[in-house]
Amino acid sequence: MTALLSGRGLTRMFDGKNGCAQIDIDLHPGEVTCIVGESGSGKTTLLNLLSLQLRPDAGSLYYRTDDGARIDLGLASEIDRRRLMRTEWGFVRQNPRDGLLRDVSAGANISERLMANGARHYGALRDTAIDWMRKVELDHGRVDDLPRDFSGGMQQRLQIARNLVTGPRLLFMDEPTAGLDVSVQARLLDLLRTLTSQLGIAILIVTHDIGVARLLAHRLLVMRRGRIIETGLTDQVLDDPQQPYTQMLVSSVLPV
Amino acid sequence: MLTMQFDVAETAGNRLAPDVMIDVSGLSKSFTIHAQSATRITALRAVSFQLRAGECVALTGPSGAGKSTLLRCIYGNYLATCGTVSIRDQKRGTVTVTGADPREIIALRKDTIGYVSQFLRAIPRVGAQALVASPLVELGVKEAVALRRAAELLERLAIPQKLWALPPATFSGGEQQRINIARGLIADHPILLLDEPTASLDAANSAIVSELILERRNKGTAIMGIFHDEETRDRVATRLFPLQAA
Amino acid sequence: MKSPCQWNETVTLPSKNDAVFRNGDYNFAYLDEQTKRMIRRALLKAVAIPGYQVPFAAREMPLPYGWGTGGIQLTAALIGPRDVLKVIDQGADDTTNAVNIRSFFERMTDVATTTLVQEATLIQTRHRIPETPLRADQILIYQVPLPDPVSRLEPRGTERANMHAFGDYGLINVKLYEDIAQHGSVAMAFDYPVIVNGRYLASPSPIPKFDNPKLHMNPALQLFGAGRERRIYAIPPFTSVRSLDFDDHPFTIQPWDESCALCGAPDSFLEEMTVDDRGNRQHICSDSDYCAQRRATQPAHVRHQEAMP
């Protein structure tokens, strides 16, 4: 298989009911996968299991490294897992406050992962930071401004730049557009769409916004009560939903 | 994972004859509307046909006969209930759409199947010209080249140049439809699926679209379409494929 | 409660006649032998893992936190009857803190004390490294207020422990980056963080960054005690110590235009002091022993010539 990340039988339950159970999932390079479902459907638990923020009660997680080797992340050392998380993976949080360093400039935020990986040239770091601010359409003249001086949408783009700077192969996003104005959302979605097609990385997005899924995702997973109940090509799942719950979910979307 | 709800029909060794581009065999499609106490609506019943390179097949039949449904099943947008749809793909040989992995269908759409839907799905902030050019860009063509090709098509389709940079969400129905046609045609896919491409166009624009379709047919593209006006249909179609309400 | 003997079967406890009990009701060097043993164990671990912060059960000491409780406990655990102790506070032997700690150990141990670096076997210090080079048979004990350089950047102790465990030091470099972005250079003049033995990030205690080069490959054993934070760490003799920097903003120490007004030293760490009632100020060596020895051994005209730029 060419999957970058594969979960098999992933299970993590809280209080015996909430959580997710028996999840099989494959994330492929160049593919954007969206998990949709209502609150409590287990989608955030699954995201946390896949991104190593949470240990599963049962199941395995395999990652294909750059040189094609397949490693069992459940058995990998913590040092390897952390290296993965700060180099080959990125995690964009719903609230930029949780994903940014609050007390240092935009440039320092973008540079952190590079420095953690050993970059030691200030001038080069700064040039890279400026370059990434351009790529995410932020005014690079503000490279020394603090995150709180940016608007919510700009902070979210800063968070994306901070994650993409190490050229990750896999990006996790938790409700990246929630809490943003509609016009700001459109801009962020457009940016994400462009970056994903340019970079060819695997992306997993958790969202409850069907519009976000329709625009960005190649593939859709519908979750309910901790299980994946339907999966397939995004437009197929949205235009020809099979499960009662998916039909209800799709028909609940307000038409534009 | 889900179990597929159709029977995999026996296709002839899963290989198509040299000039067959689409093979549909025993295709049925029904919808189960769970909100209406699992009402079952059958849209297609045991449809079989082949589409060859250089052919343009016009789907005919009354409203509700399943013409759009058939196109969507071929495009992978609808799941077949039973039967198979096989497509000739230059890189991958014969690909069976029914039961294919989402990635295979995405690749098929990128390289092989162009689809012009009835309505344009605009993408926020993306201008008309860039939207038209994007299928070419995805194929790896340089952006400048793709934009030039998009400009040629937009010009032929008589879209005023001042609109090119604007996102088409606010365009008129006819303009949006022509943007959609340009987007569907630009990548020179070997297979074209057209769902009422001229529905909201005036006579002059319909004629331009017919011309473009004919050019593609003559180049060997396999075309299947739904044409509401008989004039366009008679100009472009090499044969008719009638569908009865299932 | 177990008696000390049960805890301590393999160790020969001092008898009543030994020097350790000379000070009336107190044990030799104030701390009980069990505590000293606990601290020595932590010290051994600290030396074995250079720069790693070893937790230890710091005791209540007869002075408040911030006055050197960590350093005093290390000194108490190490000092023996034949040691010669020197105590300095910001370089000086004659400031309140230094005088008090020295007299504390004089009362608690009866060991010899000195102000001369070359005579001392143990030197307890607050915020300076002596200018006179140290030898392999000497131990330098630092008083440390905040042992973890990232504590101001990452409030969660568990996460800091992870950072050290996995050598994940992006965050402290972010601080350096930010200093250069905001001030043009790294703004830390004291307590400038270092990497010990190419592995652990450590605080050198609030010594001026002027002293950082002396940490590197020092022949003496350097021990660090943080009483309030309950951590001990060490830089063993001849261990590499690198001050954090960037390739294009290398670590530098601050230069002076002045020389010491008393001894003429052009190369020591100077403090600006008010020297009379009219507010006149002079630059004077912060290391009082270094300054005094130079004045005693070098004729005035030599000192004057040295002071010339």
Side-chain angles (χ1 to χ4, degrees):
Chain A
M1 278 302 277
T2 58
L4 197 58
L5 189 70
S6 301
R8 290 291 175 269
L10 288 174
T11 301
R12 176 70 194 252
M13 298 303 280
F14 303 97
D15 315 326
K17 49 180 207 290
N18 293 319
C20 63
Q22 290 300 321
I23 304 287
D24 292 337
I25 185 173
D26 289 308
L27 303 179
H28 297 275
E31 197 172 89
V32 180
T33 306
C34 261
I35 306 178
V36 296
E38 61 199 12
S39 305
S41 61
K43 55 192 199 298
T44 300
T45 303
L46 178 57
L47 178 76
N48 288 337
L49 285 175
L50 292 170
S51 59
L52 302 177
Q53 326 250 334
L54 208 58
R55 290 261 182 187
D57 297 333
S60 333
L61 197 55
Y62 301 97
Y63 179 65
R64 189 166 50 79
T65 60
D66 235 347
D67 53 14
R70 198 168 106 122
I71 55 172
D72 184 340
L73 291 173
L75 303 175
S77 69
E78 187 62 24
I79 207 156
D80 284 342
R81 291 156 61 101
R82 288 176 80 97
R83 190 192 54 75
L84 272 184
M85 283 192 269
R86 71 172 183 234
T87 54
E88 298 187 22
W89 298 7
F91 198 114
V92 174
R93 299 189 182 271
Q94 175 175 357
N95 191 333
R97 271 204 315 259
D98 302 327
L100 291 172
L101 301 171
R102 262 176 281 179
D103 300 325
V104 296
S105 63
N109 265 288
I110 297 175
S111 301
E112 187 197 1
R113 277 162 68 104
L114 294 173
M115 290 190 279
N117 293 325
R120 287 289 171 270
H121 194 285
Y122 173 80
L125 286 167
R126 197 174 168 78
D127 289 346
T128 308
I130 287 171
D131 190 36
W132 270 99
M133 288 190 75
R134 278 206 196 96
K135 283 185 190 159
V136 298
E137 302 172 26
L138 289 170
D139 175 7
H140 64 269
R142 302 186 61 184
V143 65
D144 294 332
D145 288 3
L146 294 176
R148 63 170 162 269
D149 298 331
F150 292 91
S151 70
M154 291 158 103
Q155 287 183 22
Q156 206 55 309
R157 276 179 275 148
L158 183 59
Q159 204 194 159
I160 289 166
R162 172 174 152 79
N163 274 283
L164 293 183
V165 69
T166 50
R169 306 169 71 212
L170 179 57
L171 187 64
F172 298 98
M173 302 183 121
D174 186 9
E175 303 272 11
T177 58
L180 299 179
D181 291 343
V182 176
S183 63
V184 177
Q185 264 194 26
R187 187 170 187 186
L188 188 74
L189 289 173
D190 180 37
L191 175 80
L192 281 174
R193 207 179 51 84
T194 312
L195 287 174
T196 52
S197 68
Q198 281 170 359
L199 299 173
I201 61 182
I203 302 185
L204 182 70
I205 303 176
V206 161
T207 183
H208 63 266
D209 187 333
I210 300 287
V212 170
R214 163 91 71 178
L215 190 62
L216 290 180
H218 297 113
R219 204 155 54 95
L220 212 56
L221 305 175
V222 183
M223 285 193 75
R224 192 180 191 218
R225 294 182 184 154
R227 306 267 177 166
I228 294 177
I229 57 158
E230 184 157 359
T231 173
L233 197 67
T234 301
D235 60 87
Q236 181 262 303
V237 173
L238 295 181
D239 294 342
D240 186 17
Q242 307 293 305
Q243 297 295 314
Y245 175 74
T246 316
Q247 289 186 358
M248 192 274 288
L249 198 70
V250 171
S251 62
S252 313
V253 177
L254 293 174
V256 178
Chain B
M1 286 288 169
L2 293 175
T3 53
M4 290 301 170
Q5 296 174 347
F6 49 80
D7 311 314
V8 178
E10 305 284 321
T11 49
N14 218 5
R15 255 168 218 278
L16 301 179
D19 61 337
V20 173
M21 298 302 290
I22 300 178
D23 178 278
V24 173
S25 152
L27 182 71
S28 294
K29 174 62 183 170
S30 56
F31 298 94
T32 306
I33 314 294
H34 292 283
Q36 293 170 15
S37 49
T39 307
R40 206 171 160 87
I41 299 168
T42 303
L44 292 173
R45 183 167 289 152
V47 175
S48 299
F49 69 87
Q50 291 191 327
L51 181 69
R52 296 188 149 74
E55 265 192 316
C56 178
V57 171
L59 295 172
T60 61
S63 183
K67 302 188 293 291
S68 278
T69 302
L70 177 56
L71 289 188
R72 284 168 178 255
C73 283
I74 296 170
Y75 195 56
N77 180 233
Y78 282 175
L79 284 181
T81 306
C82 66
T84 58
V85 174
S86 301
I87 304 278
R88 168 178 304 284
D89 180 274
Q90 282 170 324
K91 291 183 191 162
R92 300 164 195 89
T94 303
V95 177
T96 305
V97 174
T98 40
D101 188 276
R103 283 175 310 130
E104 290 181 85
I105 293 180
I106 288 168
L108 209 56
R109 291 177 177 183
K110 195 176 95 180
D111 296 327
T112 306
I113 312 177
Y115 177 61
V116 177
S117 57
Q118 268 173 288
F119 301 103
L120 175 70
R121 197 173 285 281
I123 299 171
R125 293 217 311 158
V126 178
Q129 192 183 1
L131 191 67
V132 169
S134 60
L136 262 191
V137 175
E138 269 178 47
L139 278 172
V141 175
K142 282 210 180 74
E143 200 175 353
V145 177
L147 286 173
R148 210 178 313 134
R149 180 89 185 88
E152 286 165 21
L153 272 170
L154 290 172
E155 213 160 291
R156 266 195 86 177
L157 286 160
I159 302 288
Q161 196 163 355
K162 61 176 197 287
L163 295 180
W164 293 5
L166 301 176
T170 53
F171 292 5
S172 74
E175 284 160 350
Q176 291 200 9
Q177 188 157 38
R178 279 175 282 155
I179 301 291
N180 216 8
I181 290 164
R183 186 173 150 82
L185 292 179
I186 192 165
D188 285 331
H189 291 126
I191 295 171
L192 259 183
L193 306 175
L194 308 169
D195 192 349
E196 305 220 21
T198 57
S200 36
L201 300 186
D202 56 29
N205 280 320
S206 288
I208 298 172
V209 172
S210 306
E211 233 171 77
L212 281 166
I213 295 171
L214 273 177
E215 280 172 26
R216 302 302 298 281
R217 194 189 83 192
N218 293 335
K219 274 199 215 163
T221 304
I223 302 168
M224 171 167 260
I226 305 163
F227 305 97
H228 77 294
D229 73 299
E230 291 184 12
E231 198 187 323
T232 307
R233 183 205 299 162
D234 294 345
R235 277 192 72 187
V236 300
T238 52
R239 67 179 161 109
L240 304 181
F241 186 75
L243 282 171
Q244 260 73 53
Chain C
M1 279 282 286
K2 288 182 173 182
S3 78
C5 288
Q6 280 172 286
W7 286 102
N8 205 7
E9 283 156 355
T10 59
V11 170
T12 312
L13 286 174
S15 80
K16 278 283 175 193
N17 299 326
D18 285 351
V20 289
F21 285 118
R22 242 179 259 161
N23 197 287
D25 296 334
Y26 290 105
N27 191 21
F28 177 78
Y30 183 78
L31 291 178
D32 62 276
E33 294 306 307
Q34 304 310 317
T35 300
K36 288 182 189 175
R37 190 160 165 246
M38 174 271 294
I39 293 173
R40 287 174 197 142
R41 281 178 163 172
L43 280 168
L44 284 174
K45 184 166 180 180
V47 170
I49 316 170
Y52 171 70
Q53 297 168 49
V54 182
F56 80 113
R59 297 290 190 251
E60 293 290 330
M61 296 303 285
L63 75 170
Y65 290 132
W67 289 75
T69 53
I72 291 172
Q73 288 180 76
L74 298 201
T75 302
L78 290 169
I79 200 164
R82 286 183 298 280
D83 271 313
V84 181
L85 179 69
K86 171 179 163 75
V87 182
I88 50 174
D89 175 8
Q90 296 203 313
D93 296 86
D94 52 4
T95 54
T96 313
N97 199 233
V99 169
N100 277 333
I101 293 172
R102 189 165 59 236
S103 70
F104 171 77
F105 280 111
E106 281 167 353
R107 281 183 56 204
M108 293 295 141
T109 65
D110 269 354
V111 302
T113 58
T114 181
T115 60
L116 300 174
V117 167
Q118 57 271 33
E119 279 184 2
T121 57
L122 284 179
I123 304 171
Q124 182 173 330
T125 179
R126 174 175 172 267
H127 301 5
R128 274 310 308 275
I129 300 175
E131 306 286 1
T132 308
L134 300 175
R135 298 185 313 265
D137 58 348
Q138 294 177 309
I139 299 175
L140 185 60
I141 296 163
Y142 296 77
Q143 299 170 203
V144 181
L146 281 175
D148 198 328
V150 286
S151 56
R152 281 198 189 84
L153 304 169
E154 173 55 69
R156 291 168 296 175
T158 47
E159 189 47 36
R160 288 204 302 272
N162 278 332
M163 284 181 186
H164 288 294
F166 302 118
D168 199 346
Y169 293 137
L171 203 56
I172 190 76
N173 287 293
V174 165
K175 159 92 174 105
L176 258 62
Y177 174 101
E178 197 62 4
D179 273 4
I180 297 173
Q182 306 292 342
H183 311 291
S185 63
V186 178
M188 289 175 281
F190 292 86
D191 208 351
Y192 193 106
V194 295
I195 297 283
V196 179
N197 200 30
R199 174 60 181 84
Y200 281 100
L201 177 73
S203 155
S205 85
I207 60 171
K209 69 173 182 174
F210 177 91
D211 282 343
N212 271 29
K214 297 180 193 143
L215 297 162
H216 178 64
M217 288 295 164
N218 199 313
L221 171 61
Q222 303 176 80
L223 303 174
F224 299 78
R228 177 172 32 209
E229 302 295 330
R230 295 166 187 216
R231 292 290 184 278
I232 289 170
Y233 54 104
I235 302 173
F238 302 105
T239 299
S240 89
V241 178
R242 181 175 70 80
S243 303
L244 293 179
D245 63 359
F246 289 108
D247 295 345
D248 51 343
H249 285 264
F251 174 82
T252 51
I253 57 173
Q254 60 270 53
W256 271 276
D257 296 332
E258 296 83 5
S259 298
C260 175
L262 298 179
C263 74
D267 56 354
S268 76
F269 188 80
L270 302 178
E271 278 170 349
E272 199 176 1
M273 292 184 181
T274 308
V275 290
D276 59 24
D277 291 345
R278 279 166 298 177
N280 284 323
R281 300 166 89 82
Q282 283 186 326
H283 284 87
I284 294 168
C285 288
S286 99
D287 186 337
S288 59
D289 167 53
Y290 182 70
C291 197
Q293 290 196 47
R294 278 177 57 85
R295 276 178 283 154
T297 56
Q298 293 188 294
H301 71 274
V302 175
R303 302 205 302 264
H304 183 67
Q305 272 175 358
E306 260 183 10
M308 289 280 108

